[in-house]
Amino acid sequence: RKDNHMPHVKGQIDFQNVTHSYNNALVLNGVSLSIKPGEKVAIIGPSGAGKSTILKLLPLFITPSGGRILVDNIDTQTVSLSELRRNVAWISQSPQLFSKSITENVIDGDIFRQITGDEVMAASQAANLPEFISRLPLGYNSPAGENGSSLSGGQRQRISIARALIKNAPIICMDEPTSALDDKSEALIRESIGKLIKGKTVLLVTHRRSLLTLMDTIY
């Protein structure tokens, strides 16, 4: 039944005895985890340990084999996917961009409302976009290229952060957001992420130590 609603989500997250299997192989076995509204949590560990699985379970990109996941005490499987995902911003190591302008790619962060030019500029400034956009002949109207092919990894990642800022969701999931970047790009991304996560509930999976200093709790 998808008859519950999520008005004014504060960002409390509870994993209750959650189990998940891939191809009959148990990846998560009875995981329980409680995250307070506004808490920033990092999950670290070796490859294949199930870190990204935990992240993907929250917006129901995959569904748990057992147990429950609650947001503000509401079971995520009792609300519509669109309502759940409207409250969760997602940043991965390889963001999906489209062959439209940079501005249009930023606006794609929230398709449910009209985005103003001022909002685009504010999100872009916070995500350090002007640092590279100022060097492009067409500025914000420059095409990103299919899947961001005309941009570097760090530039694509900053656009994905600007998108998340536009969305202004109370919960942010980040899956290895700087793993493909060099040190200079990572420093810019770290600054952008610091602005993005203020006042938000955050779940981060990373191998990079520099991002851990932004977190409250590390598992």
Side-chain angles (χ1 to χ4, degrees):
R1 288 172 60 86
K2 305 283 184 180
D3 51 5
N4 270 330
H5 296 283
M6 306 179 78
H8 313 302
V9 168
K10 295 182 178 67
Q12 171 78 30
I13 300 169
D14 291 286
F15 284 70
Q16 297 181 344
N17 203 31
V18 172
T19 301
H20 189 75
S21 299
Y22 282 117
N23 300 322
N24 296 320
L26 197 60
V27 179
L28 300 177
N29 184 14
V31 171
S32 293
L33 175 65
S34 188
I35 302 170
K36 298 188 294 289
E39 187 178 3
K40 283 85 174 126
V41 171
I43 302 172
I44 62 173
S47 296
K51 304 181 303 296
S52 294
T53 300
I54 289 174
L55 245 60
K56 290 174 184 172
L57 283 165
L58 184 57
L60 290 180
F61 292 153
I62 55 177
T63 54
S65 310
R68 298 198 310 159
I69 302 165
L70 309 178
V71 172
D72 290 1
N73 295 315
I74 297 169
D75 190 324
T76 55
Q77 294 193 73
T78 66
V79 297
S80 70
L81 276 180
S82 63
E83 188 165 9
L84 171 63
R85 290 176 184 172
R86 223 175 290 176
N87 287 288
V88 181
W90 181 269
I91 299 174
S92 68
Q93 56 187 307
S94 48
Q96 179 75 43
L97 300 185
F98 305 102
S99 54
K100 301 188 281 191
S101 71
I102 289 171
T103 294
E104 288 171 308
N105 270 284
V106 172
I107 287 171
D108 277 342
D110 194 338
I111 59 172
F112 294 103
R113 63 186 182 89
Q114 192 75 30
I115 308 295
T116 68
D118 286 347
E119 285 181 281
V120 171
M121 293 310 297
S124 299
Q125 292 279 353
N128 283 311
L129 264 58
E131 186 270 338
F132 73 88
I133 286 177
S134 62
R135 301 194 299 271
L136 300 175
L138 297 176
Y140 283 87
N141 292 319
S142 301
E146 188 61 44
N147 212 14
S149 57
S150 66
L151 303 170
S152 72
Q155 291 165 350
R156 289 195 297 270
Q157 202 59 290
R158 277 181 272 169
I159 290 173
S160 75
I161 290 169
R163 275 180 175 171
L165 285 157
I166 284 284
K167 189 172 187 179
N168 197 25
I171 298 168
I172 300 170
C173 290
M174 294 185 284
D175 190 7
E176 298 282 8
T178 61
S179 65
L181 307 183
D182 57 41
D183 289 345
K184 183 188 175 190
S185 295
E186 183 178 25
L188 283 165
I189 297 296
R190 185 188 179 282
E191 183 183 335
S192 304
I193 287 174
K195 294 172 183 172
L196 168 67
I197 64 177
K198 283 181 180 169
K200 311 292 187 184
T201 303
V202 177
L203 256 177
L204 165 73
V205 166
T206 185
H207 284 104
R208 299 289 187 100
R209 290 187 178 276
S210 67
L211 293 182
L212 296 180
T213 59
L214 297 171
M215 299 292 108
D216 301 317
T217 309
I218 301 170
Y219 291 106

